[in-house]
Amino acid sequence: MPRVSHHFVVDRSIEAVFAVVSTARFWPEWHPATRSVEGDTDHPARLFDRITEHATIAGVEGTGVWTVTEHAPPHHLAFEAELAVGHLRIAYAFTVVPDVGTRFQRDLDFPELGPKVYAEMEAHSARGVDRLARVVEREIPAADADVAW
């Protein structure tokens, strides 16, 4: 099963980063494929939350329902979806980096769908995680970096 992985490090508390990153209402803002979301989107993710995502990947529009299947705040979170193309899993890992802040890693596992789709998933993930770092910095002002969101 292919995997794409990307990360960022930000000078913000792990609790605040977890809260922002796990709030699905931000997905359309940072992930290039996401057109809109609905469901459990207005709060930091909780176990068994369900998020319906409307997305476009490799020119194909579709809708999938993600379920939070693993939840260990503020260190780990995973979403899973069963789509027509197969099983997808996104895992988030959060780690404190002493004297720096928080390291966030996003791993996406998806079925083998060919080199064109893999390249698009890789590009979307890289661009998305970079945008997500900007959302985190905007949503958690530096002055509040040590305060839980």
PDB file of all heavy atoms in Angstrom, residues 20-51:
ATOM      1  N   VAL A  20      -6.113  22.583  16.652  1.00  0.00           N
ATOM      2  CA  VAL A  20      -6.335  23.204  15.342  1.00  0.00           C
ATOM      3  C   VAL A  20      -6.262  22.165  14.227  1.00  0.00           C
ATOM      4  O   VAL A  20      -7.146  22.087  13.371  1.00  0.00           O
ATOM      5  CB  VAL A  20      -5.326  24.350  15.095  1.00  0.00           C
ATOM      6  CG1 VAL A  20      -5.392  24.824  13.647  1.00  0.00           C
ATOM      7  CG2 VAL A  20      -5.587  25.505  16.052  1.00  0.00           C
ATOM      8  N   VAL A  21      -5.217  21.360  14.221  1.00  0.00           N
ATOM      9  CA  VAL A  21      -5.008  20.395  13.138  1.00  0.00           C
ATOM     10  C   VAL A  21      -6.146  19.379  13.078  1.00  0.00           C
ATOM     11  O   VAL A  21      -6.540  18.949  11.990  1.00  0.00           O
ATOM     12  CB  VAL A  21      -3.637  19.699  13.298  1.00  0.00           C
ATOM     13  CG1 VAL A  21      -3.512  18.497  12.383  1.00  0.00           C
ATOM     14  CG2 VAL A  21      -2.515  20.695  13.024  1.00  0.00           C
ATOM     15  N   SER A  22      -6.705  19.009  14.209  1.00  0.00           N
ATOM     16  CA  SER A  22      -7.743  17.978  14.219  1.00  0.00           C
ATOM     17  C   SER A  22      -9.158  18.530  14.009  1.00  0.00           C
ATOM     18  O   SER A  22     -10.116  17.766  14.005  1.00  0.00           O
ATOM     19  CB  SER A  22      -7.676  17.169  15.515  1.00  0.00           C
ATOM     20  OG  SER A  22      -8.134  17.927  16.617  1.00  0.00           O
ATOM     21  N   THR A  23      -9.284  19.831  13.791  1.00  0.00           N
ATOM     22  CA  THR A  23     -10.593  20.434  13.529  1.00  0.00           C
ATOM     23  C   THR A  23     -10.838  20.438  12.019  1.00  0.00           C
ATOM     24  O   THR A  23     -10.186  21.166  11.268  1.00  0.00           O
ATOM     25  CB  THR A  23     -10.666  21.856  14.115  1.00  0.00           C
ATOM     26  OG1 THR A  23     -10.434  21.790  15.531  1.00  0.00           O
ATOM     27  CG2 THR A  23     -12.032  22.484  13.858  1.00  0.00           C
ATOM     28  N   ALA A  24     -11.777  19.614  11.574  1.00  0.00           N
ATOM     29  CA  ALA A  24     -11.971  19.355  10.140  1.00  0.00           C
ATOM     30  C   ALA A  24     -12.496  20.560   9.361  1.00  0.00           C
ATOM     31  O   ALA A  24     -12.330  20.607   8.139  1.00  0.00           O
ATOM     32  CB  ALA A  24     -12.893  18.156   9.945  1.00  0.00           C
ATOM     33  N   ARG A  25     -13.070  21.553  10.003  1.00  0.00           N
ATOM     34  CA  ARG A  25     -13.568  22.708   9.246  1.00  0.00           C
ATOM     35  C   ARG A  25     -12.453  23.419   8.502  1.00  0.00           C
ATOM     36  O   ARG A  25     -12.700  24.126   7.528  1.00  0.00           O
ATOM     37  CB  ARG A  25     -14.314  23.684  10.145  1.00  0.00           C
ATOM     38  CG  ARG A  25     -13.447  24.475  11.097  1.00  0.00           C
ATOM     39  CD  ARG A  25     -14.310  25.453  11.913  1.00  0.00           C
ATOM     40  NE  ARG A  25     -13.572  26.006  13.005  1.00  0.00           N
ATOM     41  CZ  ARG A  25     -12.924  27.159  12.952  1.00  0.00           C
ATOM     42  NH1 ARG A  25     -12.924  27.875  11.841  1.00  0.00           N
ATOM     43  NH2 ARG A  25     -12.280  27.603  14.006  1.00  0.00           N
ATOM     44  N   PHE A  26     -11.191  23.206   8.928  1.00  0.00           N
ATOM     45  CA  PHE A  26     -10.048  23.823   8.252  1.00  0.00           C
ATOM     46  C   PHE A  26      -9.600  23.052   6.999  1.00  0.00           C
ATOM     47  O   PHE A  26      -8.821  23.572   6.206  1.00  0.00           O
ATOM     48  CB  PHE A  26      -8.856  23.949   9.215  1.00  0.00           C
ATOM     49  CG  PHE A  26      -9.095  24.912  10.343  1.00  0.00           C
ATOM     50  CD1 PHE A  26      -9.144  24.457  11.649  1.00  0.00           C
ATOM     51  CD2 PHE A  26      -9.250  26.269  10.114  1.00  0.00           C
ATOM     52  CE1 PHE A  26      -9.349  25.334  12.702  1.00  0.00           C
ATOM     53  CE2 PHE A  26      -9.457  27.155  11.152  1.00  0.00           C
ATOM     54  CZ  PHE A  26      -9.511  26.691  12.458  1.00  0.00           C
ATOM     55  N   TRP A  27     -10.051  21.814   6.802  1.00  0.00           N
ATOM     56  CA  TRP A  27      -9.579  21.000   5.682  1.00  0.00           C
ATOM     57  C   TRP A  27      -9.672  21.703   4.335  1.00  0.00           C
ATOM     58  O   TRP A  27      -8.695  21.700   3.578  1.00  0.00           O
ATOM     59  CB  TRP A  27     -10.308  19.666   5.619  1.00  0.00           C
ATOM     60  CG  TRP A  27     -10.007  18.691   6.708  1.00  0.00           C
ATOM     61  CD1 TRP A  27      -9.229  18.877   7.820  1.00  0.00           C
ATOM     62  CD2 TRP A  27     -10.499  17.356   6.802  1.00  0.00           C
ATOM     63  NE1 TRP A  27      -9.221  17.740   8.601  1.00  0.00           N
ATOM     64  CE2 TRP A  27      -9.994  16.793   7.997  1.00  0.00           C
ATOM     65  CE3 TRP A  27     -11.329  16.591   5.995  1.00  0.00           C
ATOM     66  CZ2 TRP A  27     -10.282  15.498   8.386  1.00  0.00           C
ATOM     67  CZ3 TRP A  27     -11.632  15.295   6.383  1.00  0.00           C
ATOM     68  CH2 TRP A  27     -11.100  14.740   7.576  1.00  0.00           C
ATOM     69  N   PRO A  28     -10.818  22.313   3.974  1.00  0.00           N
ATOM     70  CA  PRO A  28     -10.889  22.939   2.649  1.00  0.00           C
ATOM     71  C   PRO A  28      -9.902  24.102   2.481  1.00  0.00           C
ATOM     72  O   PRO A  28      -9.505  24.420   1.362  1.00  0.00           O
ATOM     73  CB  PRO A  28     -12.336  23.452   2.558  1.00  0.00           C
ATOM     74  CG  PRO A  28     -13.091  22.658   3.564  1.00  0.00           C
ATOM     75  CD  PRO A  28     -12.103  22.351   4.658  1.00  0.00           C
ATOM     76  N   GLU A  29      -9.513  24.696   3.583  1.00  0.00           N
ATOM     77  CA  GLU A  29      -8.580  25.815   3.526  1.00  0.00           C
ATOM     78  C   GLU A  29      -7.159  25.352   3.223  1.00  0.00           C
ATOM     79  O   GLU A  29      -6.407  26.046   2.549  1.00  0.00           O
ATOM     80  CB  GLU A  29      -8.618  26.562   4.869  1.00  0.00           C
ATOM     81  CG  GLU A  29      -7.781  27.796   4.905  1.00  0.00           C
ATOM     82  CD  GLU A  29      -7.942  28.571   6.186  1.00  0.00           C
ATOM     83  OE1 GLU A  29      -8.899  28.323   6.951  1.00  0.00           O
ATOM     84  OE2 GLU A  29      -7.080  29.429   6.430  1.00  0.00           O
ATOM     85  N   TRP A  30      -6.763  24.195   3.745  1.00  0.00           N
ATOM     86  CA  TRP A  30      -5.368  23.783   3.590  1.00  0.00           C
ATOM     87  C   TRP A  30      -5.151  22.626   2.614  1.00  0.00           C
ATOM     88  O   TRP A  30      -4.089  22.539   2.015  1.00  0.00           O
ATOM     89  CB  TRP A  30      -4.705  23.502   4.935  1.00  0.00           C
ATOM     90  CG  TRP A  30      -5.237  22.354   5.749  1.00  0.00           C
ATOM     91  CD1 TRP A  30      -6.154  22.426   6.759  1.00  0.00           C
ATOM     92  CD2 TRP A  30      -4.858  20.974   5.652  1.00  0.00           C
ATOM     93  NE1 TRP A  30      -6.371  21.176   7.279  1.00  0.00           N
ATOM     94  CE2 TRP A  30      -5.579  20.276   6.630  1.00  0.00           C
ATOM     95  CE3 TRP A  30      -3.958  20.279   4.838  1.00  0.00           C
ATOM     96  CZ2 TRP A  30      -5.458  18.901   6.815  1.00  0.00           C
ATOM     97  CZ3 TRP A  30      -3.834  18.906   5.018  1.00  0.00           C
ATOM     98  CH2 TRP A  30      -4.575  18.238   6.006  1.00  0.00           C
ATOM     99  N   HIS A  31      -6.114  21.720   2.464  1.00  0.00           N
ATOM    100  CA  HIS A  31      -5.859  20.571   1.588  1.00  0.00           C
ATOM    101  C   HIS A  31      -6.350  20.856   0.170  1.00  0.00           C
ATOM    102  O   HIS A  31      -7.537  21.119  -0.046  1.00  0.00           O
ATOM    103  CB  HIS A  31      -6.510  19.297   2.117  1.00  0.00           C
ATOM    104  CG  HIS A  31      -5.913  18.081   1.487  1.00  0.00           C
ATOM    105  ND1 HIS A  31      -6.258  17.670   0.220  1.00  0.00           N
ATOM    106  CD2 HIS A  31      -4.949  17.234   1.916  1.00  0.00           C
ATOM    107  CE1 HIS A  31      -5.549  16.604  -0.098  1.00  0.00           C
ATOM    108  NE2 HIS A  31      -4.747  16.320   0.916  1.00  0.00           N
ATOM    109  N   PRO A  32      -5.466  20.801  -0.822  1.00  0.00           N
ATOM    110  CA  PRO A  32      -5.825  21.159  -2.192  1.00  0.00           C
ATOM    111  C   PRO A  32      -6.967  20.341  -2.806  1.00  0.00           C
ATOM    112  O   PRO A  32      -7.676  20.845  -3.671  1.00  0.00           O
ATOM    113  CB  PRO A  32      -4.529  20.917  -2.984  1.00  0.00           C
ATOM    114  CG  PRO A  32      -3.452  20.965  -1.985  1.00  0.00           C
ATOM    115  CD  PRO A  32      -4.047  20.473  -0.694  1.00  0.00           C
ATOM    116  N   ALA A  33      -7.157  19.104  -2.373  1.00  0.00           N
ATOM    117  CA  ALA A  33      -8.202  18.263  -2.962  1.00  0.00           C
ATOM    118  C   ALA A  33      -9.570  18.504  -2.337  1.00  0.00           C
ATOM    119  O   ALA A  33     -10.596  18.216  -2.956  1.00  0.00           O
ATOM    120  CB  ALA A  33      -7.826  16.787  -2.815  1.00  0.00           C
ATOM    121  N   THR A  34      -9.628  19.016  -1.126  1.00  0.00           N
ATOM    122  CA  THR A  34     -10.885  19.124  -0.385  1.00  0.00           C
ATOM    123  C   THR A  34     -11.684  20.333  -0.842  1.00  0.00           C
ATOM    124  O   THR A  34     -11.234  21.467  -0.734  1.00  0.00           O
ATOM    125  CB  THR A  34     -10.614  19.220   1.130  1.00  0.00           C
ATOM    126  OG1 THR A  34      -9.830  18.097   1.534  1.00  0.00           O
ATOM    127  CG2 THR A  34     -11.915  19.230   1.912  1.00  0.00           C
ATOM    128  N   ARG A  35     -12.904  20.061  -1.339  1.00  0.00           N
ATOM    129  CA  ARG A  35     -13.793  21.151  -1.749  1.00  0.00           C
ATOM    130  C   ARG A  35     -14.667  21.613  -0.594  1.00  0.00           C
ATOM    131  O   ARG A  35     -14.917  22.798  -0.431  1.00  0.00           O
ATOM    132  CB  ARG A  35     -14.652  20.708  -2.933  1.00  0.00           C
ATOM    133  CG  ARG A  35     -13.827  20.429  -4.191  1.00  0.00           C
ATOM    134  CD  ARG A  35     -14.694  20.142  -5.420  1.00  0.00           C
ATOM    135  NE  ARG A  35     -15.966  19.498  -5.173  1.00  0.00           N
ATOM    136  CZ  ARG A  35     -16.171  18.176  -5.112  1.00  0.00           C
ATOM    137  NH1 ARG A  35     -15.149  17.347  -5.264  1.00  0.00           N
ATOM    138  NH2 ARG A  35     -17.373  17.679  -4.913  1.00  0.00           N
ATOM    139  N   SER A  36     -15.156  20.676   0.221  1.00  0.00           N
ATOM    140  CA  SER A  36     -15.981  21.027   1.371  1.00  0.00           C
ATOM    141  C   SER A  36     -16.047  19.836   2.322  1.00  0.00           C
ATOM    142  O   SER A  36     -15.700  18.712   1.949  1.00  0.00           O
ATOM    143  CB  SER A  36     -17.390  21.447   0.948  1.00  0.00           C
ATOM    144  OG  SER A  36     -18.074  20.357   0.353  1.00  0.00           O
ATOM    145  N   VAL A  37     -16.483  20.120   3.551  1.00  0.00           N
ATOM    146  CA  VAL A  37     -16.651  19.074   4.558  1.00  0.00           C
ATOM    147  C   VAL A  37     -17.961  19.313   5.300  1.00  0.00           C
ATOM    148  O   VAL A  37     -18.454  20.441   5.369  1.00  0.00           O
ATOM    149  CB  VAL A  37     -15.482  19.034   5.578  1.00  0.00           C
ATOM    150  CG1 VAL A  37     -14.193  18.573   4.929  1.00  0.00           C
ATOM    151  CG2 VAL A  37     -15.287  20.365   6.269  1.00  0.00           C
ATOM    152  N   GLU A  38     -18.488  18.246   5.871  1.00  0.00           N
ATOM    153  CA  GLU A  38     -19.677  18.354   6.717  1.00  0.00           C
ATOM    154  C   GLU A  38     -19.617  17.247   7.762  1.00  0.00           C
ATOM    155  O   GLU A  38     -18.792  16.337   7.666  1.00  0.00           O
ATOM    156  CB  GLU A  38     -20.957  18.284   5.883  1.00  0.00           C
ATOM    157  CG  GLU A  38     -21.015  17.111   4.929  1.00  0.00           C
ATOM    158  CD  GLU A  38     -22.112  17.242   3.888  1.00  0.00           C
ATOM    159  OE1 GLU A  38     -21.948  18.024   2.941  1.00  0.00           O
ATOM    160  OE2 GLU A  38     -23.128  16.527   4.042  1.00  0.00           O
ATOM    161  N   GLY A  39     -20.472  17.367   8.758  1.00  0.00           N
ATOM    162  CA  GLY A  39     -20.467  16.385   9.846  1.00  0.00           C
ATOM    163  C   GLY A  39     -19.787  16.966  11.063  1.00  0.00           C
ATOM    164  O   GLY A  39     -20.027  18.127  11.421  1.00  0.00           O
ATOM    165  N   ASP A  40     -18.931  16.183  11.697  1.00  0.00           N
ATOM    166  CA  ASP A  40     -18.245  16.596  12.931  1.00  0.00           C
ATOM    167  C   ASP A  40     -17.036  17.453  12.576  1.00  0.00           C
ATOM    168  O   ASP A  40     -15.892  17.007  12.639  1.00  0.00           O
ATOM    169  CB  ASP A  40     -17.822  15.353  13.729  1.00  0.00           C
ATOM    170  CG  ASP A  40     -19.011  14.547  14.208  1.00  0.00           C
ATOM    171  OD1 ASP A  40     -19.944  15.144  14.768  1.00  0.00           O
ATOM    172  OD2 ASP A  40     -19.007  13.316  13.992  1.00  0.00           O
ATOM    173  N   THR A  41     -17.287  18.697  12.200  1.00  0.00           N
ATOM    174  CA  THR A  41     -16.224  19.548  11.673  1.00  0.00           C
ATOM    175  C   THR A  41     -15.905  20.770  12.519  1.00  0.00           C
ATOM    176  O   THR A  41     -14.923  21.451  12.255  1.00  0.00           O
ATOM    177  CB  THR A  41     -16.584  20.056  10.259  1.00  0.00           C
ATOM    178  OG1 THR A  41     -17.743  20.890  10.338  1.00  0.00           O
ATOM    179  CG2 THR A  41     -16.837  18.899   9.303  1.00  0.00           C
ATOM    180  N   ASP A  42     -16.711  21.072  13.525  1.00  0.00           N
ATOM    181  CA  ASP A  42     -16.571  22.344  14.233  1.00  0.00           C
ATOM    182  C   ASP A  42     -15.843  22.258  15.572  1.00  0.00           C
ATOM    183  O   ASP A  42     -15.880  23.192  16.361  1.00  0.00           O
ATOM    184  CB  ASP A  42     -17.949  22.981  14.439  1.00  0.00           C
ATOM    185  CG  ASP A  42     -18.852  22.124  15.325  1.00  0.00           C
ATOM    186  OD1 ASP A  42     -18.530  20.934  15.550  1.00  0.00           O
ATOM    187  OD2 ASP A  42     -19.881  22.643  15.793  1.00  0.00           O
ATOM    188  N   HIS A  43     -15.170  21.157  15.811  1.00  0.00           N
ATOM    189  CA  HIS A  43     -14.460  20.973  17.084  1.00  0.00           C
ATOM    190  C   HIS A  43     -13.254  20.049  16.848  1.00  0.00           C
ATOM    191  O   HIS A  43     -13.215  19.334  15.845  1.00  0.00           O
ATOM    192  CB  HIS A  43     -15.396  20.353  18.137  1.00  0.00           C
ATOM    193  CG  HIS A  43     -15.991  19.054  17.687  1.00  0.00           C
ATOM    194  ND1 HIS A  43     -17.195  18.973  17.038  1.00  0.00           N
ATOM    195  CD2 HIS A  43     -15.532  17.775  17.757  1.00  0.00           C
ATOM    196  CE1 HIS A  43     -17.457  17.706  16.744  1.00  0.00           C
ATOM    197  NE2 HIS A  43     -16.460  16.957  17.166  1.00  0.00           N
ATOM    198  N   PRO A  44     -12.291  20.068  17.778  1.00  0.00           N
ATOM    199  CA  PRO A  44     -11.190  19.095  17.659  1.00  0.00           C
ATOM    200  C   PRO A  44     -11.766  17.675  17.625  1.00  0.00           C
ATOM    201  O   PRO A  44     -12.740  17.365  18.324  1.00  0.00           O
ATOM    202  CB  PRO A  44     -10.357  19.340  18.920  1.00  0.00           C
ATOM    203  CG  PRO A  44     -10.616  20.775  19.245  1.00  0.00           C
ATOM    204  CD  PRO A  44     -12.084  20.993  18.905  1.00  0.00           C
ATOM    205  N   ALA A  45     -11.190  16.848  16.788  1.00  0.00           N
ATOM    206  CA  ALA A  45     -11.715  15.501  16.564  1.00  0.00           C
ATOM    207  C   ALA A  45     -11.812  14.704  17.852  1.00  0.00           C
ATOM    208  O   ALA A  45     -10.980  14.821  18.748  1.00  0.00           O
ATOM    209  CB  ALA A  45     -10.824  14.760  15.566  1.00  0.00           C
ATOM    210  N   ARG A  46     -12.861  13.880  17.881  1.00  0.00           N
ATOM    211  CA  ARG A  46     -13.092  12.945  18.982  1.00  0.00           C
ATOM    212  C   ARG A  46     -13.232  11.547  18.388  1.00  0.00           C
ATOM    213  O   ARG A  46     -13.601  11.400  17.224  1.00  0.00           O
ATOM    214  CB  ARG A  46     -14.360  13.325  19.737  1.00  0.00           C
ATOM    215  CG  ARG A  46     -14.294  14.727  20.349  1.00  0.00           C
ATOM    216  CD  ARG A  46     -15.614  15.094  21.003  1.00  0.00           C
ATOM    217  NE  ARG A  46     -16.663  15.183  20.000  1.00  0.00           N
ATOM    218  CZ  ARG A  46     -17.595  16.129  19.989  1.00  0.00           C
ATOM    219  NH1 ARG A  46     -17.620  17.064  20.901  1.00  0.00           N
ATOM    220  NH2 ARG A  46     -18.534  16.124  19.043  1.00  0.00           N
ATOM    221  N   LEU A  47     -12.979  10.552  19.198  1.00  0.00           N
ATOM    222  CA  LEU A  47     -13.096   9.173  18.746  1.00  0.00           C
ATOM    223  C   LEU A  47     -14.488   8.928  18.164  1.00  0.00           C
ATOM    224  O   LEU A  47     -15.500   9.335  18.760  1.00  0.00           O
ATOM    225  CB  LEU A  47     -12.823   8.207  19.909  1.00  0.00           C
ATOM    226  CG  LEU A  47     -12.655   6.743  19.542  1.00  0.00           C
ATOM    227  CD1 LEU A  47     -11.491   6.538  18.573  1.00  0.00           C
ATOM    228  CD2 LEU A  47     -12.432   5.905  20.797  1.00  0.00           C
ATOM    229  N   PHE A  48     -14.526   8.299  16.996  1.00  0.00           N
ATOM    230  CA  PHE A  48     -15.724   7.924  16.253  1.00  0.00           C
ATOM    231  C   PHE A  48     -16.423   9.095  15.556  1.00  0.00           C
ATOM    232  O   PHE A  48     -17.481   8.892  14.951  1.00  0.00           O
ATOM    233  CB  PHE A  48     -16.720   7.133  17.115  1.00  0.00           C
ATOM    234  CG  PHE A  48     -16.118   5.929  17.762  1.00  0.00           C
ATOM    235  CD1 PHE A  48     -16.164   5.765  19.133  1.00  0.00           C
ATOM    236  CD2 PHE A  48     -15.460   4.965  17.005  1.00  0.00           C
ATOM    237  CE1 PHE A  48     -15.588   4.656  19.741  1.00  0.00           C
ATOM    238  CE2 PHE A  48     -14.892   3.848  17.600  1.00  0.00           C
ATOM    239  CZ  PHE A  48     -14.954   3.696  18.976  1.00  0.00           C
ATOM    240  N   ASP A  49     -15.866  10.310  15.622  1.00  0.00           N
ATOM    241  CA  ASP A  49     -16.415  11.406  14.816  1.00  0.00           C
ATOM    242  C   ASP A  49     -16.419  10.970  13.361  1.00  0.00           C
ATOM    243  O   ASP A  49     -15.568  10.174  12.933  1.00  0.00           O
ATOM    244  CB  ASP A  49     -15.559  12.675  14.933  1.00  0.00           C
ATOM    245  CG  ASP A  49     -15.907  13.540  16.139  1.00  0.00           C
ATOM    246  OD1 ASP A  49     -16.819  13.181  16.906  1.00  0.00           O
ATOM    247  OD2 ASP A  49     -15.243  14.586  16.303  1.00  0.00           O
ATOM    248  N   ARG A  50     -17.374  11.514  12.588  1.00  0.00           N
ATOM    249  CA  ARG A  50     -17.471  11.217  11.158  1.00  0.00           C
ATOM    250  C   ARG A  50     -17.468  12.534  10.387  1.00  0.00           C
ATOM    251  O   ARG A  50     -18.234  13.432  10.701  1.00  0.00           O
ATOM    252  CB  ARG A  50     -18.728  10.403  10.871  1.00  0.00           C
ATOM    253  CG  ARG A  50     -18.649   9.009  11.519  1.00  0.00           C
ATOM    254  CD  ARG A  50     -19.952   8.246  11.432  1.00  0.00           C
ATOM    255  NE  ARG A  50     -20.492   8.094  10.107  1.00  0.00           N
ATOM    256  CZ  ARG A  50     -20.161   7.129   9.243  1.00  0.00           C
ATOM    257  NH1 ARG A  50     -19.273   6.218   9.591  1.00  0.00           N
ATOM    258  NH2 ARG A  50     -20.721   7.053   8.054  1.00  0.00           N
ATOM    259  N   ILE A  51     -16.618  12.599   9.394  1.00  0.00           N
ATOM    260  CA  ILE A  51     -16.479  13.788   8.565  1.00  0.00           C
ATOM    261  C   ILE A  51     -16.709  13.372   7.115  1.00  0.00           C
ATOM    262  O   ILE A  51     -16.015  12.498   6.586  1.00  0.00           O
ATOM    263  CB  ILE A  51     -15.088  14.433   8.713  1.00  0.00           C
ATOM    264  CG1 ILE A  51     -14.836  14.881  10.158  1.00  0.00           C
ATOM    265  CG2 ILE A  51     -14.928  15.622   7.774  1.00  0.00           C
ATOM    266  CD1 ILE A  51     -13.887  13.995  10.885  1.00  0.00           C
TER     267      ILE A  51
END
